[in-house]
Amino acid sequence: MSASELQDFDIELQLLIDAIYLKYHYDFRGYAQASLRRRMRAALLRFNCSSLSQLQDRVLREPAMLTAMMDFLTVQVSDMFRDPAYYQALRRHVVPMLRTYPSLKIWIAGCSTGEEAYSMAILLREEGLLDRTLIYATDINGQALQKAEAGIYDLDRIAGFTENHRRSGGSSSLSDYYMAAYGRAVFDKSLRRNIVFSDHSLATDSVFAEVQLVSCRNVLIYFNRSLQDRAIGLFRDALCRKGFLGIGAKESLRFSDHSNDFVDVDREYRLYQKKDRAGDGL
Amino acid sequence: MNRYESLEGRIDAVVIGASAGGIEALTQLLPQLPASSKLTVLVVLHVPRDRPSLLVDIFRPRCRLHVAESQDKDPIQPGTVYFAPPDYHLMVDIGPQIALSADELVNFSRPSIDVLFESAADLYQRRVLGIVLSGGNHDGAAGLQAIVRAGGLAVVQSPDQAAVDIMPRAAIAAGSVDYVLPLDQIAELLAAL
């Protein structure tokens, strides 16, 4: 795009985001610009619109368009046991601490279609902790949450999941947890008994529980710094004393206002622990 | 005097895309950048998605510019070479700062050259120069045209010289480019910026 085309595009993008917020109360105003531009260009092609103003007109007048647009506004790319070394680090640093609690709550923030929630449930089953754990898996994309709830994934993804699981230090076989049928893998309902999938926005909602572990990976990269700060503040407030926070391999708390509330547990795999007296102003 | 003299001071950022045969090409190109260069250099090289990348370790001792890993939201510095990490798209965003994304694969790739080039075209407009090097797919062709439309400069490694010529040929076929050059002349051009 030329400079003037880009200027128009950005004006229309801001108006579209404001319109979605005003009409539907989904707040994308703190989303990082570069990635949002890219996904809105894809949306223009998908919905055959020549400009974002035209797209905005449809989003305002056809509520079904919002549902369709959610797949462009949010990112639903995930794998089971993505970054196996992260799960190894959880087993090494976090699981021993989790064992000391009689009951556990874990928050998977931005769970999308559920891959990370099921990975966590399998890890906890292997470690003998699932029965005493409640996993809150939250996202703003209702359709993604429905898929997560169903726990059904294409069979052609299972080889990759299996390899990741093996490299994560898994002590069981991934095939123990799903049934293959008609090109799909249906994950065991007993895993889901301990998972609550729920609508929650890191941009507009508040803390809903006290948890021992928050895992929020490759979500913060889509936020600008002030929205990142809001989200990290929620995680801090949700975590119990000395609770753990895991974020994505290329994300960092360095630029956050709340970085002083956490200490590094595993620098390479982005595991942090809430300080004893974080956030109480002392 | 240098034939690229007229370009001096025009470019802030150089974005480079490479795939098969790319390490060798980058090994010839990046060490030639003078320590005095104020350029920001951003590189997407297709690497395996499931392994840590050794690119920073390979290039840091060979380059006179600082070589950095790309972390999300890192402020972008002049005189620095940034490599895309495995399994993330590398973009540039207002700041300027690094923006990573875990979006879908583009051209079967993550990182994708097109993704970097399109974001660089948005951010730097006519002050970006894009280079497509050796490779065996079509990634980078569309991104280079985005740079051209934004008024930036487009450079392609001479297909005859590239270890794998599919990517340079695709970039040339996609539309007009400013220069088709062998590596030593691309190095000369970069040194003149």
Side-chain angles (χ1 to χ4, degrees):
Chain A
M1 282 186 186
S2 71
S4 89
E5 286 165 344
L6 183 67
Q7 191 185 16
D8 292 350
F9 184 88
D10 281 349
I11 290 170
E12 291 178 300
L13 176 55
Q14 192 182 331
L15 293 171
L16 171 65
I17 295 302
D18 282 348
I20 290 170
Y21 178 65
L22 291 170
K23 173 125 187 183
Y24 301 106
H25 312 293
Y26 282 104
D27 190 355
F28 297 99
R29 295 174 300 173
Y31 276 48
Q33 185 86 350
S35 175
L36 203 50
R37 276 187 189 138
R38 176 166 183 85
R39 280 180 277 126
M40 288 307 101
R41 282 179 180 141
L44 286 180
L45 288 175
R46 164 69 181 75
F47 299 112
N48 202 19
C49 292
S50 60
S51 72
L52 288 177
S53 298
Q54 205 184 3
L55 187 60
Q56 179 191 313
D57 189 62
R58 291 190 56 191
V59 170
L60 284 176
R61 283 169 185 79
E62 305 166 32
M65 272 294 287
L66 178 76
T67 313
M69 276 292 285
M70 285 300 273
D71 285 348
F72 289 87
L73 291 160
T74 65
V75 177
Q76 301 97 52
V77 184
S78 186
D79 284 316
M80 289 186 84
F81 294 96
R82 183 187 159 120
D83 301 324
Y86 171 77
Y87 290 90
Q88 281 181 20
L90 283 179
R91 289 182 205 271
R92 195 162 54 240
H93 301 293
V94 179
V95 164
M97 294 293 288
L98 295 183
R99 288 192 196 289
T100 65
Y101 294 94
S103 72
L104 291 167
K105 287 178 180 153
I106 293 175
W107 180 11
I108 311 287
C111 70
S112 185
T113 42
E115 289 86 341
E116 186 173 353
Y118 287 105
S119 305
M120 189 68 78
I122 290 168
L123 180 148
L124 293 169
R125 164 86 45 95
E126 287 171 338
E127 302 292 342
L129 292 171
L130 185 60
D131 287 342
R132 60 169 118 151
T133 305
L134 190 57
I135 298 173
Y136 296 106
T138 63
D139 205 274
I140 56 168
N141 185 334
Q143 279 181 309
L145 284 170
Q146 278 176 17
K147 286 185 194 163
E149 192 112 31
I152 300 172
Y153 302 102
D154 286 342
L155 212 46
D156 59 10
R157 301 177 66 199
I158 293 294
F161 292 177
T162 302
E163 173 63 11
N164 283 352
H165 172 249
R166 190 187 62 73
R167 290 169 55 204
S168 80
S171 58
S172 57
S173 165
L174 193 68
S175 59
D176 296 345
Y177 303 100
Y178 65 84
M179 302 274 284
Y182 306 107
R184 304 285 180 87
V186 183
F187 274 79
D188 192 345
K189 281 189 172 51
S190 73
L191 294 171
R192 221 177 315 155
R193 267 205 309 262
N194 300 66
I195 309 176
V196 177
F197 289 102
S198 170
D199 176 75
H200 180 275
S201 163
L202 296 170
T204 54
D205 292 330
S206 51
V207 170
F208 55 86
E210 185 181 69
V211 301
Q212 282 81 25
L213 166 66
V214 175
S215 189
C216 179
R217 301 194 309 136
N218 297 321
V219 175
L220 298 175
I221 46 177
Y222 299 106
F223 295 174
N224 67 21
R225 281 196 199 167
S226 68
L227 183 52
Q228 280 192 349
D229 269 338
R230 186 186 197 278
I232 294 164
L234 289 183
F235 301 154
R236 179 201 57 202
D237 295 343
L239 283 169
C240 67
R241 187 175 151 266
K242 295 196 169 181
F244 292 92
L245 170 63
I247 60 176
K250 299 296 164 191
E251 296 169 329
S252 166
L253 294 187
R254 263 183 309 161
F255 302 118
S256 166
D257 287 348
H258 309 302
S259 61
N260 289 330
D261 292 339
F262 294 91
V263 290
D264 289 339
V265 172
D266 189 316
R267 203 178 284 256
E268 194 175 354
Y269 298 110
R270 300 297 192 273
L271 272 177
Y272 302 86
Q273 188 170 26
K274 182 175 159 177
K275 280 185 187 167
D276 218 349
R277 319 197 70 173
D280 60 4
L282 295 175
Chain B
M1 276 308 285
N2 189 308
R3 76 190 91 171
Y4 305 113
E5 201 176 5
S6 62
L7 298 176
E8 191 185 336
R10 174 176 159 187
I11 296 296
D12 291 333
V14 173
V15 289
I16 303 177
S19 189
I23 291 232
E24 293 76 6
L26 289 166
T27 310
Q28 287 187 54
L29 204 55
L30 296 178
Q32 309 263 354
L33 285 161
S36 60
S37 176
K38 295 283 183 286
L39 292 172
T40 293
V41 182
L42 299 130
V43 184
V44 165
L45 177 67
H46 292 154
V47 287
R49 287 197 287 126
D50 60 349
R51 265 176 267 160
S53 160
L54 301 172
L55 292 173
V56 173
D57 298 332
I58 292 170
F59 283 97
R60 193 169 271 164
R62 289 183 165 85
C63 289
R64 283 171 279 185
L65 292 187
H66 180 55
V67 177
E69 302 201 35
S70 299
Q71 294 234 29
D72 190 54
K73 306 277 187 289
D74 267 355
I76 289 174
Q77 308 287 351
T80 307
V81 180
Y82 296 91
F83 282 99
D87 214 16
Y88 287 87
H89 293 301
L90 169 64
M91 293 182 289
V92 290
D93 209 341
I94 298 155
Q97 64 185 19
I98 299 288
L100 299 179
S101 110
D103 282 15
E104 291 84 351
L105 307 190
V106 174
N107 304 315
F108 310 102
S109 305
R110 188 170 59 214
S112 147
I113 302 164
D114 280 344
V115 171
L116 170 64
F117 281 18
E118 285 163 19
S119 77
D122 283 348
L123 185 73
Y124 293 106
Q125 293 283 311
R126 63 186 306 277
R127 302 190 62 80
V128 65
L129 180 144
I131 307 174
V132 172
L133 299 174
S134 172
N137 53 64
H138 291 194
D139 198 13
L144 201 62
Q145 287 310 304
I147 288 175
V148 170
R149 283 194 299 277
L153 288 172
V155 180
V156 180
Q157 182 182 7
S158 304
D160 298 343
Q161 194 218 27
V164 182
D165 67 0
I166 296 170
M167 210 159 81
R169 287 193 195 285
I172 293 165
S176 70
V177 298
D178 297 282
Y179 300 98
V180 177
L181 299 172
L183 287 173
D184 57 338
Q185 284 183 48
I186 297 177
E188 195 184 324
L189 187 159
L190 292 182
L193 296 174

